[in-house]
Amino acid sequence: NAGVTQTPKFQVLKTGQSMTLQCAQDMNHEYMSWYRQDPGMGLRLIHYSVGAGITDQGEVPNGYNVSRSTTEDFPLRLLSAAPSQTSVYFCASRRDLVDYGYTFGSGTRLTVV
Amino acid sequence: GEDVEQSLFLSVREGDSSVINCTYTDSSSTYLYWYKQEPGAGLQLLTYIFSNMDMKQDQRLTVLLNKKDKHLSLRIADTQTGDSAIYFCAESMGYSTLTFGKGTMLLVSP
């Protein structure tokens, strides 16, 4: 089925560990973004990409890296996990600037202990 | 800077109309969106409105936009228990990112 696929759905990390959250879309969308959702905070933008090879920082980029080597994939790397990164992470994509909506993945729930 | 504000909670009875309000600060916003999030799920686009429109109707959903006051509302007619969810207002200036409000939790009681 077409859409945005995020893996894993759940993850527990120890403080200081690193990991990569995977995001893939099969809709040939140019624009992809990573958001984190925390209680009472809504969704905050971490990083985004306007196409393969192009990424930029969002509102809360510290502690995260991204790369976009293909149109389909936009992984989010946690360099050294901290308890403050406990959150639900959503990846989203849209076709282009005139596409009227983002398609969201189902999320990755990350706990850092 | 950009900021989107929403009330945090709304409770209605099944069959009533629900109105969820949102205010935004960026007058250059080109698109405004309403998303729905059910428990444990991602966000689902409900509807959107372009900034040169005042109203948009889509089945039970009516979106009203007051550009002068930077106020957006979502009206759900004949609210059902399945409409219980968190509703997010979001704005976009046409670039690749959205700015979201903190979400309004809608609780529909039988």
Side-chain angles (χ1 to χ4, degrees):
Chain A
N1 291 334
V4 178
T5 302
Q6 291 185 238
T7 56
K9 291 192 182 306
F10 301 94
Q11 183 71 50
V12 178
L13 286 180
K14 293 183 178 178
T15 298
Q17 287 185 315
S18 62
M19 80 159 293
T20 300
L21 308 185
Q22 301 292 342
C23 176
Q25 51 89 10
D26 58 2
M27 298 171 285
N28 202 32
H29 284 179
E30 288 295 323
Y31 294 87
M32 297 185 75
S33 302
W34 276 102
Y35 290 87
R36 60 177 288 174
Q37 183 179 25
D38 302 292
M41 299 292 290
L43 280 85
R44 294 181 291 170
L45 180 67
I46 305 171
H47 286 284
Y48 65 98
S49 170
V50 300
I54 306 170
T55 63
D56 206 347
Q57 297 181 350
E59 181 185 353
V60 288
N62 291 340
Y64 307 95
N65 268 355
V66 292
S67 60
R68 184 93 180 272
S69 56
T70 67
T71 299
E72 294 78 21
D73 300 298
F74 190 42
L76 178 72
R77 296 183 188 83
L78 278 70
L79 308 172
S80 176
S84 61
Q85 293 178 304
T86 294
S87 187
V88 181
Y89 292 84
F90 288 101
C91 180
S93 73
R94 75 173 181 176
R95 181 168 51 91
D96 52 35
L97 281 177
V98 297
D99 189 0
Y100 298 120
Y102 278 78
T103 300
F104 277 80
S106 57
T108 295
R109 185 174 295 273
L110 176 69
T111 302
V112 182
V113 297
Chain B
E2 302 168 5
D3 200 9
V4 179
E5 300 280 346
Q6 299 178 239
S7 52
L8 294 181
F9 185 75
L10 176 65
S11 179
V12 301
R13 288 193 177 275
E14 192 172 24
D16 289 348
S17 291
S18 307
V19 179
I20 302 172
N21 295 301
C22 169
T23 58
Y24 60 97
T25 57
D26 199 320
S27 58
S28 58
S29 294
T30 53
Y31 296 105
L32 295 140
Y33 304 85
W34 285 104
Y35 280 85
K36 176 183 180 182
Q37 184 182 33
E38 296 180 348
L43 276 72
Q44 171 194 358
L45 178 66
L46 278 181
T47 187
Y48 65 91
I49 188 167
F50 190 51
S51 59
N52 68 354
M53 298 167 65
D54 297 324
M55 186 183 85
K56 181 178 181 182
Q57 190 152 2
D58 185 1
Q59 299 182 340
R60 292 190 298 123
L61 305 179
T62 302
V63 178
L64 295 177
L65 175 61
N66 181 329
K67 282 196 70 175
K68 174 175 171 291
D69 295 336
K70 299 190 183 72
H71 183 266
L72 182 74
S73 68
L74 173 70
R75 179 177 179 268
I76 305 173
D78 187 25
T79 313
Q80 302 298 306
T81 54
D83 295 323
S84 292
I86 300 175
Y87 291 81
F88 290 93
C89 172
E91 63 174 347
S92 168
M93 292 185 293
Y95 301 131
S96 60
T97 64
L98 299 181
T99 300
F100 287 88
K102 291 182 170 50
T104 299
M105 179 175 291
L106 174 64
L107 180 63
V108 183
S109 54

